[in-house]
Amino acid sequence: MAQSVIISCAVTGAIHTPTMSPHLPLTPAQIVEQALEAAEAGASILHLHARDPSDGRPTADPAVFEQIVPEILARTDAIVNITTGGSTKMTIEERLAYPLQAAPEMASLNLGSMNFSIHPAARRISEWCHDWERPYVEGTEDTIFRNTFRDIRHILVELGRERGTRFEFECYDLGHLYNLAHFVDEGLVEPPFLIQSIFGILGGMGPDPENLAFIRTSADRLFGRDSYEWSILGAGRHQIPLVTMGAIMGANVRVGLEDNLFVEKGRLAQSNADQVRKIGRILTELSLDIATPAEARSRLGLEARRQ
Ligand code: KMH
Ligand code: ZN
């Protein structure tokens, strides 16, 4: 029998900017509201970033996260997953300030340094809501998203081993699976772990459907299928097609406005829950069940931590 599908929702991220959609949640109240609505719609994992409430700029300020995370924890049973990627412009110290303080149940962990660019999006926009947005978006052409082996080890030790946080391993390329395998060999990553395969980021592997099968067989070879839960993230317009394909292949899915602002061609999602409901309808049509937070915790080895 097919396993139920764990839906992750990445609520706001640090890629998109306020000009790109009026529905992108920016303030703590908006992020909390949309996260709770996404959980209500079926997301059992909420992946969270913070933004400066004054202008929507990505921030790693623990004081802003503190206005978001405790409120969500108090009002839903969904798993809270805090970014350690932050934005490509932040230092590792900035990115880790809140996760190290909060020791969340789950956090993202990016498995390699890479180009990570959205600069082509700037060509389509002539009027920006805020002064910071245009240089931020254009500047990604010349920015490296830093995640060295030492950075990854530091996060695995300080957040994982010392504080008990488990990870959403963000893999944008085949090499990132091998980097993860290195840390499995070192004894710093233990099953069951969550591999988020990311397709369609400029700088990572492309959104070609064939890549899903290639990554699946590579992960099976490196880890054994019983060691990991697989999830698919498709960037932009590739989101729903690729996560649907992944679900058919036995993967879990990630949606949310961090990864895509639209709910269908030419129509902006009004909220994160719009996308969660859409993939929920597709899964139901495919006779696939949606995992509850309890099922997700059991499959991801989170129960011990919660007790
Ligand atoms: N923005 C996604 C492509 C992170 O927060 O650590 C990957 C991500 C990174 O969610
Ligand atoms: Zn993120």
Side-chain angles (χ1 to χ4, degrees), residues 42 50 274 303:
D274 251 7
E303 277 171 329

Side-chain angles (χ1 to χ4, degrees), residues 15 47 49 83-85 108 110 116 170 172 198 201 254 258:
I15 303 173
H47 171 78
H49 292 237
T83 181
T84 68
S108 62
N110 296 270
F116 189 130
E170 314 265 10
Y172 304 75
I198 300 168
I201 295 286
R254 173 167 139 167
E258 170 166 351

Side-chain angles (χ1 to χ4, degrees), residues 254-272:
R254 173 167 139 167
V255 294
L257 301 195
E258 170 166 351
D259 305 335
N260 174 31
L261 293 170
F262 290 80
V263 71
E264 61 187 49
K265 191 174 178 184
R267 195 159 74 85
L268 288 169
Q270 305 285 302
S271 67
N272 279 271

Side-chain angles (χ1 to χ4, degrees), residues 22-282:
H23 310 297
L24 185 67
L26 306 174
T27 66
Q30 290 166 348
I31 293 169
V32 169
E33 183 196 353
Q34 287 213 27
L36 293 173
E37 202 195 340
E40 191 64 31
S44 52
I45 301 179
L46 300 168
H47 171 78
L48 300 172
H49 292 237
R51 290 177 181 267
D52 186 325
S54 68
D55 60 7
R57 170 195 319 249
T59 181
D61 184 349
V64 181
F65 272 110
E66 272 298 303
Q67 295 170 51
I68 299 169
V69 174
E71 178 80 6
I72 292 175
L73 286 173
R75 292 173 58 190
T76 177
D77 191 32
I79 297 157
V80 166
N81 165 346
I82 310 284
T83 181
T84 68
S87 90
T88 54
K89 317 273 162 117
M90 296 171 188
T91 65
I92 294 286
E93 290 71 27
E94 288 168 335
R95 286 158 49 180
L96 289 179
Y98 186 67
L100 289 178
Q101 174 186 316
E105 191 173 13
M106 181 165 256
S108 62
L109 208 177
N110 296 270
L111 265 295
S113 299
M114 59 188 288
N115 294 328
F116 189 130
S117 195
I118 49 159
H119 69 276
R123 294 185 206 131
R124 297 192 287 270
I125 299 173
S126 50
E127 300 227 353
W128 299 83
C129 296
H130 303 283
D131 289 345
W132 65 268
E133 293 179 77
R134 186 175 175 163
Y136 180 85
V137 174
E138 288 182 341
T140 58
E141 188 178 12
D142 198 29
T143 310
I144 291 172
F145 184 27
R146 179 193 159 133
N147 300 286
T148 66
F149 279 107
R150 189 171 292 174
D151 297 333
I152 297 166
R153 167 183 292 283
H154 178 64
I155 297 171
L156 287 171
V157 170
E158 294 302 323
L159 199 51
R161 190 190 277 173
E162 299 297 323
R163 290 169 175 78
T165 295
R166 291 184 67 77
F167 297 99
E168 172 194 10
F169 290 108
E170 314 265 10
C171 296
Y172 304 75
D173 240 319
L174 177 64
H176 296 177
L177 289 184
Y178 283 83
N179 295 349
L180 180 58
H182 165 74
F183 287 108
V184 172
D185 290 346
E186 298 256 295
L188 281 170
V189 175
E190 284 177 11
F193 46 85
L194 175 61
I195 298 178
Q196 189 69 257
S197 291
I198 300 168
F199 303 88
I201 295 286
L202 186 57
M205 62 189 156
D208 311 74
E210 292 79 1
N211 288 344
L212 272 72
F214 180 57
I215 289 296
R216 179 57 146 172
T217 48
S218 302
D220 285 352
R221 189 173 62 251
L222 286 167
F223 308 112
R225 188 165 286 197
D226 292 342
S227 293
Y228 72 101
E229 282 284 340
W230 192 37
S231 182
I232 303 297
L233 186 169
R237 66 190 165 85
H238 307 288
Q239 180 183 62
I240 294 290
L242 288 189
V243 303
T244 301
M245 185 173 165
I248 293 167
M249 294 169 70
N252 303 291
V253 302
R254 173 167 139 167
V255 294
L257 301 195
E258 170 166 351
D259 305 335
N260 174 31
L261 293 170
F262 290 80
V263 71
E264 61 187 49
K265 191 174 178 184
R267 195 159 74 85
L268 288 169
Q270 305 285 302
S271 67
N272 279 271
D274 251 7
Q275 291 178 352
V276 176
R277 282 190 287 265
K278 176 163 180 169
I279 191 60
R281 287 193 299 274
I282 292 170

